[in-house]
Amino acid sequence: MRQRLAPLANILRLSDISDLGEAGPNEELVACDLGDAKGVHDLVKDCDAVVHLGGISGEASFSKILNGNIIGCYNLYEAARAHGQPRILYASSLHTVGFYRQDEYFDATISPRPDGLYGVSKCFGESMARMYFDKFGQETAIVRIGSCFEHPRDHRMLASWLSYDDFASLVECVFNAPRLGCPIIWGVSNNDARWWDNSRANYLGWKPKDNAGDHRARIEATV
């Protein structure tokens, strides 16, 4: 995503606790643990927009999830509130609704049914985003990412796949929309077999173009 997001900003400030390599021509690299409140405040300062992909990205011990996904999420929203409330794209997950059946088709009004501690932490983040919007006016796009890979890898991803290009176009759409609010957006490409209805976010104008169905023959031949 570094290359795809680079044209959207004069300076792309990237952060992680792991090595990010060498900075690109318009990049700043900042090491930061999301559990460090001061570090997160310094990280968000002067930012016009935030793509929040940080934290633990799968099931793990509660202590790890607590620091990165819960305390870290609180630190991010407090930092944004202190620094002019830049728009946030919050990377939530399909694991917030992981206990629904795969033959159920639903929109963003469905009640959460998290399938683990990771999913619970993403439900927490979604609730934080909603509260900061209702109480302070902080705009956030809550993006429940399905399966974001270069290509779909199995039958399940024929429904849940989000292509890199479609994700990049979603980021651009979120930050350019005249009005954002605090929508829940299913992070999924234009797949024939998708489970989710994104019509409630149509006002943003995002139109994913890729379709996991184009990879069906390869998957059925190899999986």
Side-chain angles (χ1 to χ4, degrees), residues 5-27:
L5 298 183
L8 303 185
N10 293 326
I11 297 294
L12 190 66
R13 182 177 293 165
L14 302 164
S15 182
D16 207 326
I17 57 173
S18 59
D19 184 10
L20 289 167
E22 296 295 324
N26 71 327
E27 292 181 347

Side-chain angles (χ1 to χ4, degrees), residues 93-94 144-149 156 160-162 186-188 196:
S93 170
L94 81 170
R144 289 177 174 169
I145 294 174
S147 308
C148 193
F149 295 93
R156 180 171 172 272
S160 64
W161 182 55
L162 174 64
W186 299 105
V188 62
W196 305 309

Side-chain angles (χ1 to χ4, degrees), residues 76-93:
L76 171 68
Y77 275 91
E78 278 296 282
R81 188 161 71 96
H83 294 298
Q85 297 183 326
R87 280 186 180 179
I88 296 172
L89 186 151
Y90 172 70
S92 188
S93 170

Side-chain angles (χ1 to χ4, degrees), residues 142-169:
I142 298 168
V143 181
R144 289 177 174 169
I145 294 174
S147 308
C148 193
F149 295 93
E150 184 175 7
H151 303 294
R153 298 178 176 181
D154 52 35
H155 283 92
R156 180 171 172 272
M157 291 190 194
L158 291 173
S160 64
W161 182 55
L162 174 64
S163 74
Y164 293 164
D165 287 342
D166 282 339
F167 186 30
S169 72

Side-chain angles (χ1 to χ4, degrees), residues 87-89 141 169-177 180 185 204:
R87 280 186 180 179
I88 296 172
L89 186 151
S169 72
L170 175 57
V171 174
E172 185 172 9
C173 183
V174 163
F175 294 144
N176 287 337
L180 178 60
I185 305 165
L204 296 173

Side-chain angles (χ1 to χ4, degrees), residues 69-220:
N69 295 18
I70 295 179
I71 295 173
C73 183
Y74 169 75
N75 288 341
L76 171 68
Y77 275 91
E78 278 296 282
R81 188 161 71 96
H83 294 298
Q85 297 183 326
R87 280 186 180 179
I88 296 172
L89 186 151
Y90 172 70
S92 188
S93 170
L94 81 170
H95 291 283
T96 57
V97 293
F99 271 123
Y100 283 96
R101 291 163 53 100
Q102 290 187 5
D103 60 358
E104 295 179 275
Y105 186 76
F106 45 79
D107 67 12
T109 63
I110 200 77
S111 297
R113 291 181 64 181
D115 57 15
L117 294 174
Y118 169 69
V120 169
S121 76
K122 290 301 180 180
C123 291
F124 172 85
E126 292 186 3
S127 294
M128 288 287 287
R130 187 74 231 183
M131 187 273 283
Y132 271 75
F133 176 68
D134 289 338
K135 192 170 185 178
F136 304 115
Q138 168 68 56
E139 291 190 305
T140 297
I142 298 168
V143 181
R144 289 177 174 169
I145 294 174
S147 308
C148 193
F149 295 93
E150 184 175 7
H151 303 294
R153 298 178 176 181
D154 52 35
H155 283 92
R156 180 171 172 272
M157 291 190 194
L158 291 173
S160 64
W161 182 55
L162 174 64
S163 74
Y164 293 164
D165 287 342
D166 282 339
F167 186 30
S169 72
L170 175 57
V171 174
E172 185 172 9
C173 183
V174 163
F175 294 144
N176 287 337
R179 174 178 65 92
L180 178 60
C182 190
I184 293 174
I185 305 165
W186 299 105
V188 62
S189 287
N190 189 33
N191 307 325
D192 295 331
R194 64 190 181 278
W195 302 310
W196 305 309
D197 173 10
N198 250 337
S199 59
R200 295 178 67 88
N202 282 348
Y203 69 93
L204 296 173
W206 180 53
K207 298 185 184 301
K209 298 178 179 179
D210 293 320
N211 189 335
D214 295 339
H215 301 267
R216 179 178 291 275
R218 173 183 57 81
I219 289 172
E220 290 183 346

